[in-house]
């Protein structure tokens, strides 16, 4: 069994094994005519259930053959131009190369003595990101597993920095389009069930600053402590960017921590065309960036950045066996002092190789392309009487719904849109998302693939309207 351990004597097996895996993925990418096969949980579960995990195949090729059946053939493929659903992106090859390297070397970024250069590379990328954000000379941060964890850590720091107030009095203000991880974080932080106050949005789904001002004033008046405002730079549903500068102004006035959730919008940091949309982000106390969304990096790759490195001490705990206090005096860089995680992937390597091979502008161009595609898609939808489109996109998201020509009740329209999404998913021809807007069902494209064309958008819209019409034809009596 030792021949399976990766070391100096097994490099041939390593090369063969990994190459064989790469060949399978390459073949899968070429073979995928659609983003999805439409397989159902009931269809796939028996195949996976039937595998006896206590009887290994002892053969790489056989295991990969099996993997074709249980995973590769029916996986959802994000490189396909008609995958238009969620924020998971097609990935760039330099980052996939990084992934292969980092898992083989298996550095762990908790301590210097498990990572060496990995720690310094991560630190450079944090500094680079903080520089792009404009957070100033005292900024710092750490890579995380994703935006959810980044938001949790930022809110932990905000809570620790909120000097006054018992947990029941602490409030977090975020727009009604903010990410649900804000509420999840509040719960994990032991705040009360009413801790997160939703601030209304304007028609473009951006936080209304007037409403935020009123809420902040009300909190103070009622003896509550607005410990943080979470502004979203790229809401998950609409890609809308809250008015960051105005929000920063209000935070300064009320002494509230400003966290900017730029999990989605962070791609603008490398955009030469649209960077200005993030103006004001430099005033944040903390920022979430998800490189695994708009930097075309494989899951996971994310970071939380802070204006003042000193606040990261709230996440610092010492273990004598790992990161003893004396390491600080000895100036040994141990990233675990800044992280909620202990053992931690060297995800930063993917971004490093991406910047070294493609360059930041290259990533920015890809993100600009999908934003331009969304703008074009919006024009198509706005001109198409079959559809009602919600907001003109700032990033790469389109929220719309099919509206039949003939008078149809709202329930019928909701049903037709839900049906269209499901039918499309089962066919595998395209994958789109659904969401609700003001209580009604809508469909959503999240465009992150520069290979998607306006022709793809037009074709998928035709498919949607075909499915919706079919539903209404069959359900007219019930729907009305
Ligand atoms: C995706 C997203 C998150 C959560 O990030 P994960 O990486 O999925 O954990 C948080 N905030 C916003 C605005 C997002 O779009």
């Amino acid at each position: 069994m030792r021949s399976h351990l990766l070391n100096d004597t097994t490099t041939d097996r390593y090369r063969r094994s990994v190459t064989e895996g790469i060949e399978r993925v390459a073949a899968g990418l070429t073979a995928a005519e659609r983003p999805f096969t439409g397989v159902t949980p009931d269809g796939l579960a028996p195949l996976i259930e039937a595998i006896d995990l206590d009887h290994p195949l002892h053969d790489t090729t056989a295991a990969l053959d099996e993997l074709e059946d249980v995973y590769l053939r029916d996986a959802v493929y994000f490189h396909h131009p008609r995958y238009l659903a969620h924020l998971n992106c097609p990935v760039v090859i330099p980052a996939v190369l990084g992934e292969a390297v980092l898992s083989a070397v298996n550095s762990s970024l908790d301590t210097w003595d498990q990572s060496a250069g990995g720690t310094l590379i991560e630190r450079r990328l944090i500094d680079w990101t903080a520089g792009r954000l404009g957070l100033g000379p005292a900024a710092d941060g750490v890579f995380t597993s994703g935006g959810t964890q980044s938001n949790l850590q930022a809110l932990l720091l905000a809570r620790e920095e909120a000097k006054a107030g018992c947990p029941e009095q602490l409030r977090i203000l975020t727009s009604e389009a903010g990410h649900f991880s804000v509420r999840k974080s509040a719960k994990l932080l032991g705040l009360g069930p009413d801790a997160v106050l939703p601030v209304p949005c304007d028609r473009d789904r951006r936080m209304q600053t007037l409403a935020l001002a009123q809420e902040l004033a009300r909190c103070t008046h009622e003896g509550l402590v607005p410990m943080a405002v979470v502004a979203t730079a790229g809401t998950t549903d609409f890609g809308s960017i809250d008015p960051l500068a105005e929000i920063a102004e209000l935070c300064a006035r009320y002494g509230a921590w400003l966290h900017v959730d730029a999990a989605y919008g962070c791609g603008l940091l490398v955009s030469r065309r649209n960077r200005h949309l993030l103006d004001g982000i430099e005033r944040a106390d903390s920022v979430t960036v998800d490189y695994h969304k708009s930097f075309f990096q494989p899951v996971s790759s994310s970071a939380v950045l802070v204006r003042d490195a000193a606040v990261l001490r709230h996440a610092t705990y010492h273990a004598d066996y790992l990161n003893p206090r004396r390491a600080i005096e000895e100036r040994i860089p141990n990233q675990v002092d800044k992280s909620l995680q202990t053992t931690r992937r060297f995800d930063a390597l993917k971004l490093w190789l991406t910047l070294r091979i493609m360059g930041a502008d290259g990533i920015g161009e890809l993100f600009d392309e999908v934003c331009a595609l969304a703008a074009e898609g919006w024009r198509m939808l706005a001109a198409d009487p079959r559809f009602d489109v919600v907001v003109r996109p700032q990033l790469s998201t389109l929220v719309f719904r099919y509206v039949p020509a003939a008078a149809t009740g709202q329930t019928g329209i909701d049903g037709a849109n839900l049906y269209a999404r499901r039918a499309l998913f089962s066919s595998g021809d395209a994958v789109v998302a659904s969401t609700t807007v003001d209580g009604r069902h809508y469909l959503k494209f999240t465009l992150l693939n520069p290979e998607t064309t306006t022709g793809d958008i037009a074709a998928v819209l035709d498919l949607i309207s075909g499915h919706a019409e079919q539903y209404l034809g069959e359900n007219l009596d019930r729907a009305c």
Side-chain angles (χ1 to χ4, degrees), residues 212-236:
L212 174 65
Q214 283 165 357
E215 276 296 280
L216 285 166
R218 187 180 67 81
C219 280
T220 318
H221 184 69
E222 292 177 7
L224 302 170
V225 179
M227 68 165 233
V229 174
V230 179
T232 314
T235 58
T236 317

Side-chain angles (χ1 to χ4, degrees), residues 414-426:
D414 278 349
N417 282 281
L418 279 178
Y419 174 82
R421 193 200 76 88
R422 269 201 309 271
L424 211 51
F425 191 65
S426 318

Side-chain angles (χ1 to χ4, degrees), residues 32 40 116 140 143 179 258 314 350 378 453 460:
T40 61
D140 199 0
F143 272 66
H179 195 261
L258 172 57
H314 299 304
K350 296 179 282 192
W378 184 83
T453 62
V460 175

Side-chain angles (χ1 to χ4, degrees), residues 398-419:
L398 292 167
V399 180
F400 61 94
R401 68 175 183 161
Y402 172 82
V403 281
T408 310
Q410 288 293 346
T411 324
I413 301 178
D414 278 349
N417 282 281
L418 279 178
Y419 174 82

Side-chain angles (χ1 to χ4, degrees), residues 12-318:
D12 277 342
R13 179 188 282 264
Y14 165 57
R15 273 195 204 94
R16 263 186 285 116
S17 230
V18 175
T19 307
E20 204 176 329
I22 290 170
E23 291 299 341
R24 299 293 180 124
V25 175
L29 292 173
T30 321
E33 283 165 7
R34 295 172 294 166
F36 184 47
T37 60
V39 71
T40 61
D42 286 346
L44 204 49
L47 294 184
I48 293 177
E49 283 302 314
I51 288 171
D52 184 349
L53 292 175
D54 293 316
H55 283 95
L57 297 165
H58 294 301
D59 182 76
T60 302
T61 306
L64 287 171
D65 286 343
E66 183 182 270
L67 195 68
E68 298 267 356
D69 292 338
V70 299
Y71 174 60
L72 285 174
R73 191 185 53 230
D74 294 300
V76 176
Y77 282 103
F78 301 95
H79 75 289
H80 196 284
R82 294 196 183 174
Y83 177 88
L84 308 171
H86 298 292
L87 272 165
N88 210 12
C89 55
V91 293
V92 291
I93 295 167
V96 177
L97 170 63
E99 188 76 62
V101 173
L102 74 92
S103 58
V105 179
N106 201 29
S107 298
S108 179
L109 275 266
D110 40 345
T111 54
W112 167 258
D113 72 1
Q114 298 175 84
S115 61
T119 285
L120 302 181
I121 285 176
E122 171 167 308
R123 288 187 164 197
R124 269 300 299 280
L125 288 168
I126 288 292
D127 291 346
W128 176 84
T129 306
R132 291 250 166 186
L133 288 165
L135 289 182
D140 199 0
V142 70
F143 272 66
T144 68
S145 61
T148 302
Q149 193 193 347
S150 296
N151 284 348
L152 172 63
Q153 180 161 359
L155 290 170
L156 166 73
L157 303 179
R159 188 195 64 187
E160 296 300 299
E161 289 291 302
K163 307 233 162 34
C166 54
E168 295 73 40
Q169 290 175 310
L170 296 175
R171 293 292 180 274
I172 300 168
L173 297 95
T174 193
S175 94
E176 55 195 3
H179 195 261
F180 71 1
S181 56
V182 174
R183 276 177 289 143
K184 212 185 266 195
S185 300
K187 182 161 193 175
L188 284 163
L189 293 172
L191 307 184
D194 306 319
V196 179
L197 299 174
V199 180
C201 287
D202 63 15
R203 280 178 48 218
D204 293 327
R205 310 289 153 172
R206 306 163 78 219
M207 189 192 284
Q208 283 186 35
T209 43
L210 210 59
L212 174 65
Q214 283 165 357
E215 276 296 280
L216 285 166
R218 187 180 67 81
C219 280
T220 318
H221 184 69
E222 292 177 7
L224 302 170
V225 179
M227 68 165 233
V229 174
V230 179
T232 314
T235 58
T236 317
D237 255 352
F238 305 100
S240 45
I241 299 170
D242 289 340
L244 303 175
E246 290 171 39
I247 294 171
E249 208 52 52
L250 286 167
C251 285
R253 196 181 311 159
Y254 285 89
W257 179 281
L258 172 57
H259 176 63
V260 178
D261 180 355
Y264 176 13
C266 61
L268 295 175
L269 292 174
V270 285
S271 162
R272 280 183 295 189
R273 221 183 289 169
N274 297 320
R275 169 62 179 84
H276 62 93
L277 294 174
L278 289 180
D279 284 354
I281 203 166
E282 69 282 356
R283 296 179 65 182
D285 294 294
S286 57
V287 180
T288 287
V289 295
D290 261 2
Y291 309 105
H292 63 213
K293 283 179 178 164
S294 45
F295 275 67
F296 304 93
Q297 301 290 294
V299 179
S300 58
S301 184
S302 177
V304 61
L305 289 303
V306 294
R307 155 177 310 288
D308 175 11
V311 300
L312 291 172
R313 73 183 180 283
H314 299 304
T316 310
Y317 287 81
H318 292 283

Side-chain angles (χ1 to χ4, degrees), residues 282-476:
E282 69 282 356
R283 296 179 65 182
D285 294 294
S286 57
V287 180
T288 287
V289 295
D290 261 2
Y291 309 105
H292 63 213
K293 283 179 178 164
S294 45
F295 275 67
F296 304 93
Q297 301 290 294
V299 179
S300 58
S301 184
S302 177
V304 61
L305 289 303
V306 294
R307 155 177 310 288
D308 175 11
V311 300
L312 291 172
R313 73 183 180 283
H314 299 304
T316 310
Y317 287 81
H318 292 283
D320 291 338
Y321 63 86
L322 189 69
N323 59 332
R325 263 171 225 285
R326 67 172 180 278
I328 294 175
E329 282 109 63
E330 291 168 6
R331 296 170 49 86
I332 296 167
N334 287 330
Q335 292 291 84
V336 69
D337 294 352
K338 307 175 186 180
S339 174
L340 299 186
Q341 291 165 268
T342 307
T343 307
R344 192 161 55 82
R345 293 163 54 81
F346 181 23
D347 285 317
L349 181 61
K350 296 179 282 192
L351 180 59
W352 180 267
L353 284 178
T354 302
L355 295 182
R356 298 310 298 142
I357 295 170
M358 289 178 67
D361 289 349
I363 289 292
E365 273 165 33
L366 294 180
F367 193 54
D368 283 348
E369 278 184 52
V370 292
C371 293
L373 179 68
E376 194 51 44
W378 184 83
R379 280 189 283 276
M380 290 163 66
L381 279 160
D384 191 332
R386 296 173 302 173
F387 296 99
D388 167 31
V389 58
V390 183
V391 287
R392 190 174 202 134
Q394 285 184 288
L395 297 179
S396 64
T397 301
L398 292 167
V399 180
F400 61 94
R401 68 175 183 161
Y402 172 82
V403 281
T408 310
Q410 288 293 346
T411 324
I413 301 178
D414 278 349
N417 282 281
L418 279 178
Y419 174 82
R421 193 200 76 88
R422 269 201 309 271
L424 211 51
F425 191 65
S426 318
S427 72
D429 291 332
V431 185
V432 308
S434 67
T435 189
T436 56
V437 179
D438 303 330
R440 310 265 43 129
H441 286 288
Y442 277 72
L443 301 173
K444 178 168 102 160
F445 291 165
T446 309
L447 303 172
L448 281 180
N449 190 346
E451 294 294 324
T452 302
T453 62
T454 50
D456 289 309
I457 292 181
V460 175
L461 290 177
D462 286 345
L463 288 170
I464 289 170
S465 103
H467 288 304
E469 275 159 29
Q470 188 197 350
Y471 172 89
L472 288 171
E474 287 169 9
N475 295 271
L476 213 53

